[in-house]
């Protein structure tokens, strides 16, 4: 999912909520947003400051994903609380990781390759075998004999 809101807009929404006299739902309605998004931005800002509103592109290792899931399960955290705790800004990532983990274990958390698949490699064809003496013509044998005699004479 692409981030469609600028950092400046997010900051404006958070400031309106924190220093305005209206609640979360009213702030969201004023800006035409879902209140859960405003709540997420406010919590990210409270936990990580204004930098918590910046979109980041991170790739998480399977070990990190497992650590996040185990902490969520062990401490009984909600997905939102876990996202804030680990500063995971990709909406829905933890829920996706849980589904992957339950369906395929730790290996399902490995990143998937994107792009085109490589073409299957054809095994190299073996070089053609030279014809045996019985398959060659009389002229070909005489030519080879002349070549070998010349080579032999040159070495002497």
């Amino acid at each position: 999912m692409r981030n469609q809101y600028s950092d400046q807009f997010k900051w404006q929404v958070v400031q309106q909520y924190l220093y305005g006299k209206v609640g979360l739902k009213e702030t969201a309605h004023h800006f035409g947003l879902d209140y859960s998004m405003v709540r997420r931005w406010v919590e990210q800002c409270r936990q990580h400051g204004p930098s918590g509103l910046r979109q980041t592109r991170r790739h998480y290792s399977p070990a990190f994903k497992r650590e996040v899931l185990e902490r969520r399960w062990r401490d009984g955290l909600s997905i939102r609380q876990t996202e804030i705790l680990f500063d995971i800004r990709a909406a829905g990532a933890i829920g996706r990781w849980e589904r992957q983990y339950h369906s395929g274990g730790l290996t399902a958390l490995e990143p998937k390759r994107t792009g085109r698949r490589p073409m299957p490699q054809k095994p190299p064809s073996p070089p053609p075998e030279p014809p045996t003496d019985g398959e060659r013509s009389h002229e070909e044998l005489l030519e080879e004999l002349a070549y070998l005699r010349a080579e032999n004479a040159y070495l002497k």
Side-chain angles (χ1 to χ4, degrees):
M1 181 166 96
R2 210 178 122 258
N3 181 16
Q4 59 182 341
Y5 302 106
S6 71
D7 298 343
Q8 182 179 1
F9 175 75
K10 292 177 186 178
W11 180 246
Q12 180 184 356
V13 172
V14 169
Q15 292 299 302
Q16 174 79 21
Y17 170 73
L18 292 176
Y19 300 111
K21 296 189 190 248
V22 295
L24 190 67
K25 289 185 180 182
E26 292 82 4
T27 301
H29 181 62
H30 174 75
F31 288 99
L33 301 168
D34 186 74
Y35 80 93
S36 65
M37 185 176 291
V38 176
R39 180 178 58 197
R40 169 193 280 275
W41 293 347
V42 169
E43 290 177 9
Q44 286 174 329
C45 192
R46 283 182 175 155
Q47 184 76 21
H48 304 289
S51 67
L53 297 175
R54 279 192 228 120
Q55 185 69 17
T56 59
R57 294 233 182 254
R58 293 192 204 162
H59 298 282
Y60 301 104
S61 70
F64 176 78
K65 292 175 186 179
R66 187 182 67 201
E67 176 187 345
V68 169
L69 294 176
E70 287 175 351
R71 175 75 181 270
R72 171 175 148 64
W73 298 328
R74 184 183 67 234
D75 295 349
L77 301 172
S78 71
I79 287 179
R80 194 168 31 88
Q81 290 170 324
T82 309
E83 288 172 341
I84 299 300
L85 179 66
F86 286 94
D87 194 21
I88 297 170
R89 300 179 194 172
I94 295 176
R96 188 171 48 255
W97 297 348
E98 275 189 313
R99 286 188 301 278
Q100 290 170 337
Y101 185 81
H102 289 310
S103 69
L106 188 58
T107 57
L109 297 176
E110 295 280 342
K112 305 285 186 273
R113 281 191 59 179
T114 58
R116 297 177 115 193
R117 290 181 145 187
M119 291 290 293
Q121 296 291 328
K122 293 180 181 175
S125 57
E129 293 185 21
T132 61
D133 288 342
E135 295 173 344
R136 297 194 299 182
S137 69
H138 183 69
E139 291 79 28
E140 289 174 325
L141 291 173
L142 289 175
E143 284 178 18
E144 183 181 4
L145 179 61
Y147 174 79
L148 292 174
R149 284 182 177 168
E151 191 178 70
N152 194 17
Y154 177 77
L155 294 174
K156 289 183 179 178

